[in-house]
Amino acid sequence: MKAVVNFARIFVGVLFIFSGLVKLNDPVGFSFKLQDYFAASVLNLPFLVPYALALAVFIVIFEVLLGVNLLLGYLKKFTSWSILLMIIFFTFLTFYSAYFNKVTDCGCFGDAIPLTPWESFYKDVVLSVLILIIFFNQKYIQPIFNPNSHKWIFFAAFIGCLGLAYHVLMHLPVVDFRAYKEGVNIQEAMRVPEGAPEAIYDYHWKFKVDGEEKIYTTQGSYPPIDGEFVEVETEMVAEGYVPPIHDFALEINGKDLTGEILNEPKVLIVSAYNLSKTERKGWAKIKPVLQQAQEKGYKVIALSASGAAEYQEINKDFQLNLDFYFADETTIKTIVRSNPGLVLLHEGTIKQKLHWNDAQKIALD
């Protein structure tokens, strides 16, 4: 039993640290995932949405520290209770999400390892078993260092987590796991390879036959049924190939200008997914960069999911003359985690992404 407990302790501790650090690398992204869970259609906790970022930072730091404590054998009772309550809550959450198809990616490992809702649930079930073994056999958990050093290791881990959180919030994630990372050509990442598998759907046709409703299933063809057609429902049974980037589209007044922008030799994009939530001091900081880019022949545009009135307000308040292109809010959030942020494109290839705090580091040709 001692060997089993030690295995469970190491496995769970390392996984908690890894999971926490991956999300701590991108707490803004994790806060977006929490907002999905707080939505009225999921947990119906809209009052928590304004606190999503603070909660995201707290949760991931707490997760890392629990993993550290478990490996050290520090604060055994508190740590065992904490990881047990945490896994109970997240197992319920992932089951609820999977069963009712509420959130398609739990965000357990951020963008580093995307998991489907059911994969997340099964992962939590395995963790629950290991955590229960640890919880009921705490006597086998022995310190791996001098107990007097534990509080200092814990303190150092806490300070390290705070430092990392501050760095990525004031700049951008240290490691970019998203499809829009630097060096990616957006057009190439949107292409579907020849011969790639296509999605397979079942079509459930409902007919009224001899006064009784019956359902006939095909994979596309209209069934040769002698009866009155009522309705048809589709169900995806196998997902086809989905390119890494499949949601990138730029519009002005409903006109798709994606190809035009991606074929421009030099483009500087100011991304601001929601202008009502944008950091206004960021616009003042990036304004000189926008002027430099225009002088060097760059096409300078803005990207937002907000409305025309907010576009005009930003242009007026900061004395800008930006053309605002409309794009999906989730897409803009995925491209860069800063509001506003800067994206440098050369013929559709992402050359640089910057938080507005780092605007002066832009490399204009």
Side-chain angles (χ1 to χ4, degrees):
M1 180 54 70
K2 183 178 180 181
V4 172
V5 172
N6 281 328
F7 168 79
R9 165 191 177 185
I10 293 170
F11 185 88
V12 174
V14 169
L15 193 65
F16 264 55
I17 293 171
F18 173 75
S19 173
L21 287 177
V22 165
K23 293 193 288 287
L24 190 57
N25 173 68
D26 184 14
V28 174
F30 185 50
S31 73
F32 294 151
K33 188 59 59 180
L34 290 182
Q35 290 176 35
D36 291 343
Y37 280 113
F38 296 152
S41 60
V42 186
L43 296 179
N44 195 22
L45 299 171
F47 65 92
L48 289 177
V49 170
Y51 311 106
L53 182 56
L55 285 170
V57 173
F58 172 79
I59 290 170
V60 296
I61 290 179
F62 189 59
E63 187 176 5
V64 172
L65 294 179
L66 286 179
V68 170
N69 280 357
L70 198 56
L71 292 180
L72 290 175
Y74 181 49
L75 300 174
K76 289 190 292 185
K77 196 166 286 187
F78 170 80
T79 300
S80 298
W81 271 106
S82 295
I83 61 173
L84 179 62
L85 293 175
M86 184 176 278
I87 200 61
I88 289 172
F89 173 73
F90 282 112
T91 301
F92 158 76
L93 194 62
T94 52
F95 173 77
Y96 176 81
S97 178
Y99 188 79
F100 293 101
N101 196 29
K102 293 293 184 180
V103 179
T104 56
D105 176 11
C106 73
C108 304
F109 299 109
D111 292 298
I113 308 176
L115 297 177
T116 66
W118 282 116
E119 288 171 343
S120 301
F121 171 68
Y122 297 141
K123 178 263 297 178
D124 285 344
V125 169
V126 173
L127 276 178
S128 297
V129 173
L130 296 175
I131 288 170
L132 284 171
I133 292 172
I134 294 168
F135 182 82
F136 288 111
N137 295 277
Q138 296 176 40
K139 62 183 179 181
Y140 293 114
I141 299 177
Q142 299 300 321
I144 60 174
F145 296 119
N146 186 326
N148 293 328
S149 67
H150 286 177
K151 60 183 178 182
W152 297 110
I153 297 173
F154 176 87
F155 180 72
F158 176 63
I159 295 301
C161 287
L162 285 181
L164 178 58
Y166 179 79
H167 176 80
V168 296
L169 288 173
M170 292 298 102
H171 304 282
L172 289 178
V174 176
V175 182
D176 192 350
F177 294 106
R178 289 157 290 158
Y180 295 93
K181 61 174 67 71
E182 291 181 358
V184 167
N185 183 279
I186 296 175
Q187 294 186 92
E188 290 179 2
M190 293 171 67
R191 291 196 182 102
V192 176
E194 191 175 337
E198 297 181 359
I200 299 174
Y201 294 90
D202 275 347
Y203 292 78
H204 305 292
W205 306 85
K206 184 183 289 187
F207 286 85
K208 187 174 285 186
V209 181
D210 298 329
E212 183 181 350
E213 288 190 348
K214 294 184 178 181
I215 294 176
Y216 301 86
T217 300
T218 72
Q219 289 196 337
S221 59
Y222 189 89
I225 305 299
D226 185 16
E228 180 187 349
F229 170 72
V230 179
E231 63 179 2
V232 61
E233 294 182 358
T234 59
E235 177 191 5
M236 181 185 288
V237 294
E239 187 176 20
Y241 174 82
V242 179
I245 295 177
H246 53 274
D247 51 5
F248 186 82
L250 311 181
E251 298 178 0
I252 290 184
N253 298 324
K255 183 179 180 182
D256 188 351
L257 298 171
T258 309
E260 178 182 310
I261 295 300
L262 293 181
N263 286 318
E264 283 279 344
K266 297 193 296 186
V267 180
L268 178 59
I269 298 175
V270 184
S271 68
Y273 67 89
N274 188 322
L275 292 175
S276 66
K277 300 177 181 178
T278 193
E279 297 181 83
R280 295 181 69 83
K281 59 183 178 181
W283 287 91
K285 193 158 185 177
I286 67 175
K287 182 179 177 179
V289 172
L290 305 184
Q291 294 170 339
Q292 292 172 27
Q294 288 172 333
E295 291 169 2
K296 293 193 174 188
Y298 278 79
K299 183 177 182 65
V300 179
I301 66 171
L303 204 58
S304 181
S306 297
E310 290 172 300
Y311 300 164
Q312 294 169 7
E313 182 183 347
I314 287 292
N315 274 333
K316 179 182 176 182
D317 290 351
F318 297 97
Q319 297 180 339
L320 299 169
N321 189 29
L322 286 170
D323 289 328
F324 275 84
Y325 288 62
F326 176 84
D328 178 72
E329 183 169 320
T330 301
T331 300
I332 301 173
K333 287 177 176 178
T334 306
I335 293 171
V336 62
R337 298 301 199 200
S338 177
N339 186 17
L342 296 173
V343 183
L344 205 59
L345 292 181
H346 286 188
E347 296 181 342
T349 297
I350 301 172
K351 292 297 183 179
Q352 201 174 11
K353 298 198 301 183
L354 295 167
H355 190 284
W356 60 262
N357 271 324
D358 299 316
Q360 73 284 354
K361 296 180 181 178
I362 196 160
L364 298 173
D365 292 343

